[in-house]
Amino acid sequence: MDMLHISDLHKRFGDREVLRGLNLSVPEHSIYGFIGKNGSGKTTTMKTVLGLLKGDSGKITVNGERVVYGQTATNRLIGYLPDVPEFYSFMTASEFLRFCGEITGMKRKESETRIEELLSLVGLGCEPHRIKGFSRGMKQRLGIAQALLNRPKLLICDEPTSALDPVGRKEILDILLAVREQTTVLFSTHVLSDVERICTDVAFLKDGVTDMQGRLSEIKTKYRGKDYRLETETDSELRLITQAFPHVTIGEGNRATFCESDYTVSDVLHFVADRGIGILKIERLEPTLEDLFMEVTGR
Amino acid sequence: MKSLLSFTKKELLEQLRSGKILLVGILFTVFGIMNPAIAKLTPWLLETLKDSLAESGMSVTEITVTAMDSWVQFFKNIPMGLIAFILIQCSIFTKEYSSGTLVLALTKGLPRVQVVVAKATVLMALWSVGYWLCFGITYAYNAYYWDNSIAQNLLFSTLCWWIFGGFIICLITLFSTCFRSTSGVLLGIGGTVFALYLLGLLPKVSRFVPTALTDGTSLIYGVKKSEDFLPALIITAAIGFFTLFVGASVFNKKRL
Ligand SMILES: Nc1ncnc2c1ncn2[C@@H]1O[C@H](COP(=O)(O)OP(=O)(O)OP(=O)(O)O)[C@@H](O)[C@H]1O
Ligand SMILES: [Mg+2]
């Protein structure tokens, strides 16, 4: 069953229609990457799922339960990290987490051990100061700790790695990977390498609808290009090939790429075998997420 | 229920660490001391001004100060205490809107109505502590210098004023759920009180208007009886609870 299902969601701000019939289904135990350029409506979508914004029309369910605006009961299943998390600055990190634990109705003892565990997980274990003095990255880490606190069924993170240093980014991605066993993760990002690193599913948001969505591996297969790359042992051997096949483009090293619409693979391989050319490698090119992103966003 | 308690605790901690509890404490202590002090100093003040007053043709007769003068001062000064209290506390909701701090608590499943209840309760508690502190100090000084028993309906008249303060807190809550900005809240309260004041000028309805509760001076002099305040008391309580209810329902649908 889908952990989160959005169907035909519309949302406009004034005369600007941000979401125009968005559909999204997030299967259980997936790590779902939600990709789109600035201002495409990622944050808007997430806020609507949390009942912080009212969709104009459409239906959202979390774990089969309908989301309503305002007093949103489904939020008890969700851990949320906003794009810019705001805390009560007069509290310390552990005071804030204790406050969160009490609100979600966790048992005192359970929350104490959980808080200690989470604080050391996000690297705020020995931070005695009040949140007032925290840097953006520290707030982001605390934000992740509070989102994970009551072991939510669905974890929604709005650009969780945006304020972090490279080490912090890797740590957070590892945390998201690790919690996959227990929860489902939906996170928005611009950082495609993050997506490639941990996501099982992706959706591209464009013009208020999801342009492309599903398993990352399937999407890649579907959009796999017809391009091949060939690497020979020596320069002269490469030249033999380019003479026989003029449409082959030469790259750096002894590499060349060709498109299947120009020459079939078997033709090229026959030629290679007949001439006894030594090749190091021939491979079909995988599209990078970047290519897909460019293709979807049309830039 | 546990979440209500914990949010209330958070409010109190915020009041404490931001120094607002201290501020309210000092404010009402100062007012409490000021009431008997002004009464006590009046004869002395008149004595020193006697000559210049005589020159301008006014004669000063010997005056005796009683606890009454001190209580009159109490009812004269407490509006300023309430106004200061409003100014200190009017951002209790709006600050959370502008900083966005409620988002995390609410997305953790805190029922929205509990936010309203907790904040109103903390305001009421703080107002009560401040108000009765002020009352207690004035009462103690009066008992020491003079005799409190000459003031009629003393407890009832001060109780009425305290309830009027509670009514204002209901207004803070209501307008805080309606408006996003602190100035909106202040304008809402100011506008309502002004409208009630104008309404109170009409002889036919003056007995029913919440602002009638502030006329403690007439009560202690016995010009008015406690029964005269009953209609206003009932109506104030009714409007107060109604505004809380409306505030909670508005807040339930508020965009944060
Ligand atoms: N409260 C609002 N009032 C008016 N317009 C809004 C509001 N919130 C968002 N928008 C508009 O909706 C569009 C989508 O905003 P949103 O924050 O969802 O984008 P995003 O995909 O999260 O962008 P980013 O990658 O920069 O975080 C933007 O063009 C923004 O101007
Ligand atoms: Mg965003």
Side-chain angles (χ1 to χ4, degrees):
Chain A
M1 192 191 56
D2 287 341
M3 194 62 215
L4 167 67
H5 192 90
I6 303 177
S7 61
D8 200 29
L9 181 65
H10 288 262
K11 174 73 191 171
R12 58 163 64 243
F13 291 110
D15 59 352
R16 195 171 185 291
E17 197 167 21
V18 178
L19 302 178
R20 317 172 185 207
L22 177 116
N23 293 296
L24 190 73
S25 40
V26 179
E28 216 167 335
H29 296 300
S30 57
I31 299 187
Y32 209 102
F34 196 36
I35 307 165
K37 54 181 179 180
N38 289 130
S40 55
K42 303 183 293 295
T43 302
T44 307
T45 309
M46 291 181 160
K47 282 189 172 166
T48 318
V49 172
L50 285 146
L52 296 170
L53 282 177
K54 193 172 166 59
D56 298 333
S57 65
K59 187 175 169 216
I60 306 174
T61 56
V62 172
N63 201 24
E65 211 176 311
R66 182 115 191 217
V67 172
V68 289
Y69 168 73
Q71 182 54 46
T72 314
T74 41
N75 282 353
R76 69 182 191 285
L77 306 170
I78 304 179
Y80 174 50
L81 171 66
D83 44 358
V84 185
E86 293 293 347
F87 309 95
Y88 294 113
S89 55
F90 57 89
M91 291 183 178
T92 65
S94 54
E95 275 173 346
F96 185 79
L97 290 183
R98 208 166 298 132
F99 165 71
C100 290
E102 283 167 4
I103 278 181
T104 49
M106 285 173 83
K107 294 249 174 352
R108 181 93 200 188
K109 250 170 79 189
E110 184 196 347
S111 78
E112 285 301 319
T113 49
R114 181 87 178 133
I115 286 167
E116 216 163 289
E117 183 186 314
L118 282 171
L119 280 179
S120 65
L121 184 71
V122 299
L124 291 173
C126 37
E127 186 57 56
H129 300 291
R130 295 197 186 155
I131 299 173
K132 203 185 311 183
F134 276 23
S135 72
R136 241 195 101 193
M138 287 162 82
K139 283 188 182 168
Q140 199 90 31
R141 285 158 189 266
L142 179 57
I144 286 169
Q146 64 81 27
L148 288 170
L149 185 65
N150 61 335
R151 303 178 200 278
K153 274 177 130 51
L154 175 62
L155 182 64
I156 297 183
C157 301
D158 201 346
E159 293 175 33
T161 56
S162 62
L164 298 174
D165 55 42
V167 179
R169 163 167 285 158
K170 185 178 180 315
E171 282 169 7
I172 297 309
L173 292 181
D174 288 345
I175 291 172
L176 293 185
L177 257 184
V179 297
R180 184 185 166 194
E181 295 298 309
Q182 298 119 42
T183 77
T184 309
V185 182
L186 171 69
F187 80 103
S188 75
T189 185
H190 308 123
V191 188
L192 295 171
S193 61
D194 287 0
V195 175
E196 222 143 353
R197 197 131 110 201
I198 64 168
C199 284
T200 58
D201 297 68
V202 287
F204 289 90
L205 186 60
K206 191 206 174 189
D207 294 335
V209 292
T210 41
D211 212 68
M212 200 193 291
Q213 66 169 307
R215 299 254 128 200
L216 183 56
S217 51
E218 280 168 23
I219 286 185
K220 279 196 163 180
T221 319
K222 199 161 138 206
Y223 285 85
R224 181 169 291 157
K226 295 267 178 354
D227 289 352
Y228 291 83
R229 181 191 287 143
L230 181 102
E231 189 174 347
T232 58
E233 263 173 4
T234 64
D235 219 15
S236 50
E237 286 170 330
L238 189 65
R239 229 168 296 130
L240 278 177
I241 293 176
T242 49
Q243 275 158 16
F245 304 97
H247 285 294
V248 168
T249 48
I250 302 173
E252 62 210 88
N254 297 325
R255 294 194 201 111
T257 50
F258 64 93
C259 188
E260 203 170 17
S261 54
D262 294 333
Y263 316 105
T264 62
V265 186
S266 56
D267 281 350
V268 177
L269 286 181
H270 272 302
F271 179 78
V272 168
D274 290 345
R275 301 290 163 94
I277 294 173
I279 56 170
L280 291 178
K281 191 155 76 179
I282 178 159
E283 63 181 355
R284 191 167 176 182
L285 289 178
E286 281 276 329
T288 61
L289 262 184
E290 209 145 328
D291 297 335
L292 292 181
F293 185 73
M294 294 299 171
E295 194 173 325
V296 169
T297 56
R299 282 201 280 198
Chain B
M1 205 55 213
K2 197 177 161 192
S3 54
L4 175 63
L5 215 67
S6 125
F7 197 81
T8 311
K9 224 167 65 193
K10 171 247 141 191
E11 282 298 324
L12 282 173
L13 191 70
E14 183 164 15
Q15 295 276 346
L16 186 73
R17 291 199 177 160
S18 63
K20 286 187 175 172
I21 288 187
L22 188 70
L23 201 61
V24 168
I26 291 174
L27 180 80
F28 283 101
T29 307
V30 167
F31 274 107
I33 296 172
M34 219 164 75
N35 301 327
I38 290 177
K40 190 84 188 152
L41 290 180
T42 312
W44 174 80
L45 212 72
L46 287 178
E47 187 67 31
T48 52
L49 294 176
K50 200 171 171 182
D51 290 344
S52 58
L53 283 176
E55 269 169 29
S56 58
M58 284 163 87
S59 63
V60 176
T61 50
E62 200 59 28
I63 51 163
T64 48
V65 178
T66 65
M68 224 47 165
D69 299 286
S70 177
W71 285 119
V72 169
Q73 282 299 319
F74 177 86
F75 288 114
K76 230 185 232 170
N77 290 333
I78 201 71
M80 280 188 283
L82 180 61
I83 289 173
F85 182 81
I86 294 170
L87 289 179
I88 294 172
Q89 299 292 357
C90 60
S91 61
I92 188 167
F93 281 80
T94 51
K95 213 181 88 206
E96 297 229 33
Y97 300 154
S98 56
S99 65
T101 38
L102 277 177
V103 168
L104 286 182
L106 292 181
T107 54
K108 286 223 146 356
L110 176 72
R112 287 188 176 216
V113 65
Q114 294 188 357
V115 174
V116 176
V117 172
K119 283 185 187 283
T121 308
V122 167
L123 284 185
M124 196 58 198
L126 226 61
W127 160 247
S128 306
V129 170
Y131 180 83
W132 293 114
L133 183 73
C134 182
F135 172 84
I137 292 171
T138 304
Y139 190 91
Y141 271 104
N142 289 358
Y144 179 74
Y145 288 122
W146 310 289
D147 180 11
N148 275 317
S149 63
I150 67 162
Q152 299 175 40
N153 302 310
L154 184 56
L155 202 66
F156 182 74
S157 61
T158 45
L159 205 68
C160 282
W161 227 105
W162 172 70
I163 288 172
F164 180 75
F167 172 73
I168 296 293
I169 287 170
C170 295
L171 291 185
I172 296 181
T173 312
L174 174 68
F175 290 117
S176 293
T177 58
C178 297
F179 300 121
R180 297 198 74 84
S181 69
T182 312
S183 49
V185 177
L186 286 176
L187 276 179
I189 298 170
T192 309
V193 173
F194 185 66
L196 289 176
Y197 171 77
L198 288 185
L199 213 60
L201 293 180
L202 306 175
K204 274 199 182 126
V205 289
S206 62
R207 267 174 3 112
F208 303 97
V209 179
T211 42
L213 294 179
T214 58
D215 189 14
T217 316
S218 304
L219 266 178
I220 55 172
Y221 275 115
V223 178
K224 284 183 183 167
K225 297 197 174 39
S226 51
E227 298 94 83
D228 299 336
F229 279 57
L230 220 56
L233 263 183
I234 293 171
I235 284 178
T236 305
I239 299 179
F241 282 113
F242 182 67
T243 50
L244 278 186
F245 177 75
V246 172
S249 1
V250 172
F251 191 68
N252 255 342
K253 293 286 167 215
K254 190 169 182 67
R255 198 168 100 185
L256 294 169

